[in-house]
Amino acid sequence: MLAFRPQALTDEEHDHLAKHQASIDALPSYTHRVKAATSRWNAASLGTARDKLKSARPGRDRCVFCEDSEGRDVEHSRPRSLFPEATWRWQNLVCACGSCNGSKGSRHAILTKPGKYQEVTRRRKDPVVPPQFGPSAWIDPRREDPMALLELDITGESFYFLPRDGLTPRDLARIEWTVEQCLELNKRESLVQARRHAFTNYRARLFEYVQRSRRVQR
């Protein structure tokens, strides 16, 4: 996971998103707002704001979550089916690949007591009511640098994303929810293999560089 920092919106772009959001917020009930957030959302309607999201993708258009596949989808950190009030909120949008988008979907969890979280995703046929209130268990790339919490296990060669030392129970719970349960970044073998392959290639190129440098110095 990587920090995601798109350019700030212009006044015109801000007003454009605010207009879309206002059309949802004005509806008379939460149920109506959820329905509108689901049916009216279209990433193309972001206009030039979408270009700013696309240009902020790390590396060569990589997914901000898995860092592997191309991040072509606009994803909501807070699912619009649970939080219709955040459907067009600029700070709620990132770029992700289809696999991560599918893994995350409309799932959401809140922190309860220290080191614990509770999933509050609305399941099929559940009543359409606001989710239980509480601090989000999601690691949000728009508001923080995920790699301040995570490190890639290279020395142990698992190539898993692991918690850094010294984290609080609260942050460990957020990692468990975001990395393991929601995005499954350590469970998708294709991602683990891609990290291993990238590391092996980098190490080979580094070894080649050292060998050439030594020959030049002789």
Side-chain angles (χ1 to χ4, degrees):
M1 293 186 72
L2 298 172
F4 190 71
R5 301 289 185 269
Q7 298 177 26
L9 297 178
T10 64
D11 290 342
E12 183 178 357
E13 290 166 337
H14 181 274
D15 291 344
H16 177 72
L17 268 61
K19 182 178 179 180
H20 278 291
Q21 187 60 55
S23 70
I24 293 176
D25 295 343
L27 295 174
S29 71
Y30 176 77
T31 302
H32 285 91
R33 292 192 289 274
V34 168
K35 185 177 180 180
T38 304
S39 62
R40 295 181 188 177
W41 166 257
N42 186 335
S45 297
L46 289 168
T48 54
R50 187 183 185 187
D51 295 333
K52 289 185 174 179
L53 289 174
K54 291 167 63 176
S55 65
R57 290 176 296 189
R60 296 182 61 185
D61 301 340
R62 295 304 182 185
C63 170
V64 72
F65 298 143
C66 72
E67 307 175 37
D68 183 54
S69 302
E70 292 187 7
R72 295 173 178 168
D73 295 351
V74 177
E75 168 66 23
H76 294 76
S77 292
R78 286 180 174 259
R80 63 184 185 277
S81 61
L82 295 175
F83 303 95
E85 69 276 10
T87 302
W88 296 91
R89 186 176 299 165
W90 178 239
Q91 198 66 21
N92 195 42
L93 305 176
V94 297
C95 282
C97 68
S99 295
C100 286
N101 198 350
S103 294
K104 180 180 180 296
S106 297
R107 301 181 70 186
H108 185 69
I110 59 172
L111 297 168
T112 52
K113 48 190 176 181
K116 302 292 183 181
Y117 64 85
Q118 176 182 340
E119 185 168 0
V120 294
T121 304
R122 183 184 303 116
R123 303 301 179 187
R124 195 166 191 164
K125 296 185 179 179
D126 283 352
V128 182
V129 296
Q132 182 178 339
F133 178 77
S136 175
W138 179 250
I139 297 174
D140 189 349
R142 288 295 300 263
R143 293 174 170 81
E144 58 191 319
D145 181 0
M147 294 312 295
L149 302 173
L150 303 168
E151 60 184 4
L152 184 62
D153 177 32
I154 295 174
T155 56
E157 296 189 352
S158 74
F159 296 95
Y160 285 0
F161 283 115
L162 302 178
R164 291 189 179 274
D165 293 336
L167 296 180
T168 64
R170 179 180 185 275
D171 283 335
L172 291 174
R174 296 170 67 218
I175 291 172
E176 170 65 22
W177 166 251
T178 305
V179 174
E180 301 293 348
Q181 298 300 321
C182 202
L183 294 174
E184 298 185 337
L185 295 181
N186 292 333
K187 296 178 181 178
R188 288 189 270 160
E189 187 59 27
S190 60
L191 293 180
V192 177
Q193 290 296 340
R195 295 174 206 144
R196 181 178 288 111
H197 181 70
F199 173 75
T200 301
N201 281 346
Y202 177 79
R203 183 170 57 185
R205 298 295 178 269
L206 183 61
F207 179 78
E208 181 181 356
Y209 171 77
V210 171
Q211 293 299 101
R212 289 186 176 183
S213 296
R214 287 175 177 172
R215 286 197 293 268
V216 170
Q217 292 172 5
R218 289 175 183 173

